Amino acid sequence: MTPKSLNLFVLPAIMLAIFLTIAVALWLSTGNAFYLFNFGYIGTALAIGMGVYAALPARKKPMGRRLAQFLIGTYMLVFLGLLQRENMQIEGFFFYLLAGIFAGSVIHYLVAKIVGVFIFNRGWCGWACWTAMILDLLPFKRHKTEPLAAPWWGLRYVHFGLSLGLVAWLWWGTGYRVEMQSVTELYWLVVGNLLYYVIGIGLAFVLQDNRAFCKYVCPIPTLQKIPARFALLKIAGNAEKCNDCGACNKMCPMDINISGYIQQGRRVLSTECIMCLECINVCAKDALFVNFGNDREVR
Ligand code: SF4
Ligand code: SF4
Ligand code: SF4
């Protein structure tokens, strides 16, 4: 059975409606108008980026994604992180959970990196992350080197374990307690992000791959992988149109064997997919599209 495609002009409207629903629901249930502004802004920025993507010709489409990345990434890092002094690093998320504080950071992780992934897949990584918005500026979009061997993919789990261990030691071992909007929060965010940027840019040049940090070091996919497997939004394809040229595989920043899935009549099930849509752009046969549904309908 052929999977249904989602019209790329309809997607921005759907995204905006979802974010506005979240904004109103949180505003009404907490009485805090900030949620209205926050999710209204993010939904609007995403819809603008997706609208620009849909409107531009294929060669220029990535500009729409980059626009959304900058509108959302800088807002979250500069406004929520640096000005509001919220520790948006993964350690901040763990600390707020331990302290029982329903901080903006916790909502961000739930919406963008855990629960929301069941719907949007890893769209955060393709369209909004403030680390990747810098990494995607580097010159190695189509990396020339082979992906690293399997053991290196485990680094992200080591990173996740070290972050969790550090938080546990500080919390139970030293009695450290998080103080909202303190200078410590700000330092943690600034130093953590600088480290991410330095390691991410260094790895990109060493491995000639803009997204090397995302593939091997970042701990966030550890949280995303299970919901991403069951995500409603995925890339799908029409096997009858696909001539197995491999252009999409070469373009994919996450090294996914896209044509393999399409030839098997399946959606792209890989939990590495960041929904960047580069594969759709590059396919001369117009065989790929965004699909909202479940995996049974395309087998
Ligand atoms: S893997 Fe990490 S650094 Fe890369 S886009 Fe996702 S959250 Fe950002
Ligand atoms: S670029 Fe299109 S035609 Fe070529 S392998 Fe990918 S899906 Fe098939
Ligand atoms: S499969 Fe397509 S949308 Fe997913 S990461 Fe690769 S190029 Fe991007």
Side-chain angles (χ1 to χ4, degrees), residues 231-246:
L232 294 174
L233 208 61
K234 279 189 164 74
I235 301 295
N238 185 331
E240 285 158 24
K241 283 188 180 179
C242 172
N243 63 2
D244 209 8
C245 68

Side-chain angles (χ1 to χ4, degrees), residues 237-298:
N238 185 331
E240 285 158 24
K241 283 188 180 179
C242 172
N243 63 2
D244 209 8
C245 68
C248 52
N249 303 345
K250 282 193 200 116
M251 196 67 192
C252 178
M254 303 304 283
D255 303 323
I256 298 167
N257 180 7
I258 302 157
S259 56
Y261 285 110
I262 305 310
Q263 293 293 327
Q264 289 171 22
R266 311 183 80 166
R267 301 200 301 168
V268 175
L269 299 180
S270 169
T271 53
E272 290 301 308
C273 177
I274 55 171
M275 296 304 292
C276 66
L277 313 188
E278 296 288 347
C279 51
I280 295 180
N281 269 345
V282 81
C283 179
K285 294 287 175 186
D286 208 14
L288 298 172
F289 48 85
V290 176
N291 170 259
F292 194 81
N294 61 58
D295 300 319
R296 266 173 305 181
E297 69 183 29
V298 292

Side-chain angles (χ1 to χ4, degrees), residues 113 122 124-126 129 131-132 135 211 213-214 218 220-221 224:
K113 293 168 176 169
R122 289 178 61 190
W124 163 262
C125 292
C129 173
T131 307
L135 298 178
R211 290 286 185 149
F213 180 80
C214 299
C218 181
I220 302 301
Q224 296 170 314

Side-chain angles (χ1 to χ4, degrees), residues 60-273:
K60 296 193 171 158
K61 278 188 186 299
M63 284 169 62
R65 188 174 68 81
R66 309 302 312 285
L67 179 64
Q69 266 182 327
F70 272 90
L71 289 175
I72 301 170
T74 48
Y75 163 72
M76 300 205 71
L77 181 62
V78 177
F79 181 72
L80 296 185
L82 300 181
L83 297 179
Q84 301 282 315
R85 292 190 181 179
E86 270 208 35
N87 185 355
M88 308 291 283
Q89 295 295 99
I90 195 167
E91 296 84 13
F93 171 60
F94 293 147
F95 276 129
Y96 296 135
L97 281 184
L98 282 170
I101 301 171
F102 198 57
S105 165
V106 173
I107 297 173
H108 161 64
Y109 271 76
L110 289 179
V111 172
K113 293 168 176 169
I114 304 172
V115 181
V117 181
F118 281 106
I119 301 170
F120 312 122
N121 207 332
R122 289 178 61 190
W124 163 262
C125 292
W127 289 76
C129 173
W130 58 82
T131 307
M133 87 184 171
I134 300 298
L135 298 178
D136 280 353
L137 290 175
L138 301 175
F140 312 110
K141 286 179 184 58
R142 223 171 167 157
H143 62 94
K144 297 180 180 70
T145 51
E146 285 297 307
L148 294 182
W152 292 102
W153 290 74
L155 264 181
R156 54 169 62 146
Y157 300 101
V158 174
H159 184 171
F160 184 88
L162 287 174
S163 292
L164 200 57
L166 176 64
V167 168
W169 173 69
L170 284 170
W171 188 266
W172 284 291
T174 72
Y176 170 79
R177 291 295 179 265
V178 65
E179 274 179 57
M180 288 300 289
Q181 300 189 313
S182 65
V183 178
T184 315
E185 296 289 271
L186 186 62
Y187 283 162
W188 199 301
L189 175 77
V190 171
V191 173
N193 262 285
L194 280 178
L195 274 174
Y196 278 24
Y197 283 133
V198 169
I199 297 169
I201 293 168
L203 265 183
F205 276 90
V206 170
L207 298 175
Q208 306 220 310
D209 179 357
N210 282 359
R211 290 286 185 149
F213 180 80
C214 299
K215 282 183 273 196
Y216 308 118
V217 181
C218 181
I220 302 301
T222 309
L223 298 171
Q224 296 170 314
K225 275 190 158 287
I226 292 176
R229 172 62 187 82
F230 301 101
L232 294 174
L233 208 61
K234 279 189 164 74
I235 301 295
N238 185 331
E240 285 158 24
K241 283 188 180 179
C242 172
N243 63 2
D244 209 8
C245 68
C248 52
N249 303 345
K250 282 193 200 116
M251 196 67 192
C252 178
M254 303 304 283
D255 303 323
I256 298 167
N257 180 7
I258 302 157
S259 56
Y261 285 110
I262 305 310
Q263 293 293 327
Q264 289 171 22
R266 311 183 80 166
R267 301 200 301 168
V268 175
L269 299 180
S270 169
T271 53
E272 290 301 308
C273 177

